Amino acid sequence: MKTAITEMFGIEHPIIQGGMHYVGFAELAAAVSNAGGLGIITGLTQKTPELLAKEIARCRDMTDKPFGVNLTFLPSFTAPPYPEYIAAIKEGGVKAVETAGRSPEQYMPALKAAGIKVIHKCTSVRHSLKAEKIGCDAVSVDGFECGGHPGEDDIPNMILLPRAADELKIPFVASGGMADARSLVAALSMGAAGMNMGTRFIATKEAPVHENVKKALVAASELDTVLVMRALRNTERVLKNRGVDHLLEIEREKGASLKIADIHEQVAGVYPKVMLDGEMDAGAWSCGMVVGLIHDIPTVKELIDRIMVEAEQIIRQRLVGFLDGVEQSKTMKVA
Ligand SMILES: Cc1cc2nc3c(=O)[nH]c(=O)nc-3n(C[C@H](O)[C@H](O)[C@H](O)COP(=O)(O)O)c2cc1C
């Protein structure tokens, strides 16, 4: 399949793996890129620019296909040395960066001078238009369903994607709630040039996380995520667990006066406990509603191949079949 996104990033399939803290290591990024998608290393999971340079080199040893790096600009007590991270990306020869959190405006000159394609993750049309204006090459439009930070507008992708298509000139991918061939075809129908998946890629053989995490994703339903930190305007969609129950109790108690320090224990340092040690009740970690569509733990290649084969079937058989008046089964199940 050829779209503006496959052409922009030099990849075979219009599927991107979004940056994920303590998940987006070289193993996963390389597996996604080797399977024809765009794998992304999560920049800030590497505690220093030197460690990011090593992770990029490790990924390069595992794939000769293009891969990218995620740079997240989120509120933090001490800002990471972003220019040094960008230097490591440039020196590592990486040509794709996924930015997220705040606007990457101040870093655009450095990224562009290095010949890097920038795809900025946005949860609204206005942020997407801003990204276009400051010279981003593409946008990852992240609906309310998404795992991670859905912003504060709460617009799901059935509305957000066609709105983005109406307004944007640069290509965009659909992000949030994407899991299978049905997601991809729906996203393409709504004007996207591909899709970005986060949660779905965690439940794959190559995702370098504890088995408990993968099992928890297979066991969970679409009812098992919850929003936290709304009072701080730093809303995050996470998987319910005992640590999150405690966090929600504190949020209820404090109401509008909630401070980040009140929930420090439930949000700080949680990722290594969950992803490396498999402590599933440790606290808040991002997970999308799409978890309700995850029923197995395939290899990344099996997942991507399945999506592309079934997407073709949906387009050529089901959709063209409707036009040709061929009788179709009422529902569309995928493997
Ligand atoms: C465990 C986890 C960690 C994530 N960490 C980051 C991150 O560090 N930076 C970022 O930009 N997005 C992060 N995300 C968001 C993903 O890149 C992606 O936008 C999101 O998962 C898409 O929604 P989906 O989970 O429904 O596919 C994370 C998502 C998950 C599930």
Side-chain angles (χ1 to χ4, degrees):
M1 191 183 281
K2 207 184 223 191
T3 73
I5 288 294
T6 59
E7 298 316 282
M8 181 176 294
F9 293 110
I11 53 179
E12 196 185 343
H13 308 305
I15 299 176
I16 299 178
Q17 166 249 315
M20 287 181 280
H21 201 33
Y22 277 91
V23 182
F25 293 99
E27 286 79 4
L28 182 60
V32 173
S33 291
N34 282 331
L38 185 70
I40 306 262
I41 293 171
T42 315
L44 296 189
T45 300
Q46 303 303 321
K47 291 203 163 50
T48 64
E50 293 72 32
L51 288 172
L52 176 60
K54 285 197 183 133
E55 196 67 7
I56 291 171
R58 238 166 44 83
C59 195
R60 185 87 54 221
D61 283 345
M62 289 185 246
T63 184
D64 54 9
K65 302 271 175 64
F67 60 90
V69 172
N70 167 285
L71 275 184
T72 303
F73 309 109
L74 281 178
S76 62
F77 296 109
T78 44
Y82 288 111
E84 281 92 329
Y85 275 96
I86 291 171
I89 293 167
K90 180 183 159 190
E91 280 149 31
V94 174
K95 293 294 176 204
V97 164
E98 177 197 51
T99 51
R102 264 171 322 207
S103 167
E105 188 164 8
Q106 76 182 104
Y107 305 108
M108 287 304 287
L111 292 164
K112 291 281 96 188
I116 291 168
K117 298 280 182 209
V118 179
I119 179 163
H120 186 51
K121 195 150 49 189
C122 300
T123 57
S124 71
V125 173
R126 66 184 183 286
H127 291 138
S128 303
L129 285 171
K130 174 81 194 293
E132 179 174 279
K133 195 168 158 213
I134 64 170
C136 291
D137 299 278
V139 178
S140 199
V141 174
D142 214 21
F144 182 51
E145 308 88 333
C146 73
H149 294 266
E152 311 303 324
D153 290 350
D154 304 354
I155 309 295
N157 268 336
M158 284 297 280
I159 311 298
L160 196 56
L161 298 175
R163 281 284 299 117
D166 285 346
E167 304 257 353
L168 285 174
K169 291 186 198 70
I170 53 173
F172 65 95
V173 296
S175 177
M178 304 287 128
D180 55 37
R182 297 170 301 191
S183 322
L184 177 59
V185 177
L188 297 173
S189 303
M190 287 189 276
M195 69 175 177
N196 178 62
M197 299 195 294
T199 306
R200 173 66 264 201
F201 274 124
I202 307 176
T204 57
K205 293 224 162 57
E206 294 91 337
V209 301
H210 198 283
E211 279 304 306
N212 289 355
V213 180
K214 302 181 190 185
K215 286 188 192 143
L217 293 178
V218 171
S221 88
E222 64 276 20
L223 302 175
D224 290 327
T225 74
V226 68
L227 298 176
V228 298
M229 293 192 284
R230 183 121 266 190
L232 301 173
R233 291 189 66 76
N234 184 28
T235 302
E236 184 179 359
R237 185 179 297 285
V238 301
L239 192 68
K240 289 179 187 168
N241 63 56
R242 279 202 286 276
V244 168
D245 288 345
H246 190 195
L247 192 166
L248 291 171
E249 267 169 43
I250 299 170
E251 289 197 345
R252 271 192 296 273
E253 217 172 87
K254 300 275 174 184
S257 70
L258 183 77
K259 304 265 176 313
I260 187 74
D262 299 327
I263 54 170
H264 191 263
E265 200 183 312
Q266 289 76 33
V267 299
V270 171
Y271 275 83
K273 287 187 200 156
V274 172
M275 299 300 176
L276 306 180
D277 306 335
E279 285 180 37
M280 299 314 296
D281 287 310
W285 61 279
S286 297
C287 178
M289 285 178 166
V290 73
V291 71
L293 297 176
I294 298 176
H295 310 300
D296 61 355
I297 305 171
T299 66
V300 167
K301 181 163 167 46
E302 282 162 355
L303 176 65
I304 291 184
D305 283 352
R306 183 164 87 194
I307 292 172
M308 296 315 297
V309 166
E310 291 179 350
E312 184 165 348
Q313 282 166 2
I314 295 174
I315 296 166
R316 286 196 202 278
Q317 292 169 24
R318 184 171 170 82
L319 299 184
V320 173
F322 283 134
L323 291 175
D324 292 346
V326 180
E327 195 171 335
Q328 303 284 320
S329 68
K330 288 199 179 62
T331 57
M332 177 73 219
K333 292 194 177 65
V334 295

